[in-house]
């Protein structure tokens, strides 16, 4: 799997704008040599999101990210199709592939964490519109591991995960299947 990870990293080009700087709001670019996100405006450096090394971004779609309004890209994560935002790394995952995507990410992790920090939001803290049908999504606690809030569109049969939530689910205590 390690070779796969390197192949995925090369698919996200250097100098791609992938997020906004937490200090000044200017676009960040990927500096692959140093493994960071870099702001050319103020010089701020941020850690490259974990998922950026594992997702293969494809072409942009007409669906917009419900978090930052950037176009979602038709992407692959361990060969599974997902829509991923190249700016904030949120993901739209079909419900019929959701468990398979989580299992694929668990395989990439070396070990689960013994504890997780508290979740960052509660259900209904915000309203997220479905990138496909634009109707409000149902915000709820995910019933699996990770103690996260996910947004679901029953009509389109998709789940939205904000950046970091997929990994949080994969590394949660007892989140792995036992052999």
């Amino acid at each position: 799997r390690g070779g796969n990870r390197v192949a995925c990293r090369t698919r996200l080009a250097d100098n791609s704008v992938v997020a906004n700087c937490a200090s000044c709001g200017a676009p960040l670019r990927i500096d692959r040599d140093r493994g960071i996100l870099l702001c050319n405006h103020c010089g701020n450096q941020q850690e490259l999101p974990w998922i950026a090394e594992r997702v293969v971004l494809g072409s942009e779609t007409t669906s917009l990210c419900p978090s930052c309004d950037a176009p979602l890209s038709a992407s692959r994560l361990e060969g599974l199709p997902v829509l991923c935002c190249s700016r904030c790394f949120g993901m739209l995952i079909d419900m019929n592939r959701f468990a398979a995507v989580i299992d694929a990410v668990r395989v990439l992790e070396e070990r689960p964490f013994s504890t997780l920090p508290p979740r960052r939001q509660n259900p209904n803290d915000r309203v997220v519109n479905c990138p496909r049908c634009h109707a409000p999504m149902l915000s709820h606690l995910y019933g699996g591991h990770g103690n996260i809030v996910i947004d679901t569109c029953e009509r389109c049969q998709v789940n939205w995960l904000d950046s970091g939530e997929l990994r949080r689910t994969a590394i949660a205590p007892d989140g792995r299947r036992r052999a």
Side-chain angles (χ1 to χ4, degrees):
R1 292 206 182 259
N4 233 1
R5 191 176 306 165
V6 173
C8 291
R9 289 188 71 171
T10 61
R11 296 298 300 267
L12 199 58
D14 285 343
N15 297 319
S16 296
V17 173
V18 296
N20 290 325
C21 178
S23 295
C24 72
L28 294 170
R29 68 174 177 81
I30 294 176
D31 183 332
R32 276 270 174 241
D33 294 333
R34 298 185 341 196
I36 60 169
L37 295 174
L38 181 65
C39 178
N40 286 340
H41 180 73
C42 72
N44 186 33
Q45 300 176 10
Q46 292 177 214
E47 184 178 338
L48 190 63
W50 173 89
I51 199 68
E53 297 182 17
R54 288 157 176 86
V55 70
V56 178
L57 294 175
S59 59
E60 289 184 349
T61 67
T62 57
S63 298
L64 297 180
C65 173
S67 295
C68 72
D69 289 328
L72 295 176
S73 297
S75 306
R76 291 206 157 309
L77 179 63
E78 291 298 297
L80 297 165
V82 297
L83 290 182
C84 184
C85 178
S86 65
R87 182 167 293 158
C88 74
F89 293 100
M91 289 192 164
L92 189 70
I93 305 170
D94 289 336
M95 285 184 191
N96 64 351
R97 292 189 182 99
F98 193 67
V101 168
I102 291 171
D103 287 343
V105 173
R106 283 187 183 129
V107 169
L108 296 173
E109 288 298 324
E110 293 178 16
R111 61 178 177 78
F113 287 9
S114 58
T115 62
L116 287 175
R119 67 178 173 270
R120 294 180 290 209
Q121 71 184 59
N122 291 307
N124 302 315
D125 278 356
R126 65 180 185 165
V127 175
V128 173
N129 290 327
C130 177
R132 290 191 178 157
C133 72
H134 309 289
M137 298 179 87
L138 173 65
S139 177
H140 59 93
L141 291 174
Y142 171 56
H145 301 281
N147 193 21
I148 62 169
V149 173
I150 65 172
D151 302 287
T152 299
C153 180
E154 292 290 336
R155 178 178 174 196
C156 297
Q157 293 291 292
V158 293
N159 291 319
W160 174 258
L161 293 178
D162 292 314
S163 180
E165 291 179 338
L166 180 60
R167 183 170 190 234
R168 184 181 172 99
T169 300
I171 63 175
D174 299 316
R176 294 175 174 255
R177 294 205 171 132
R178 301 197 194 283

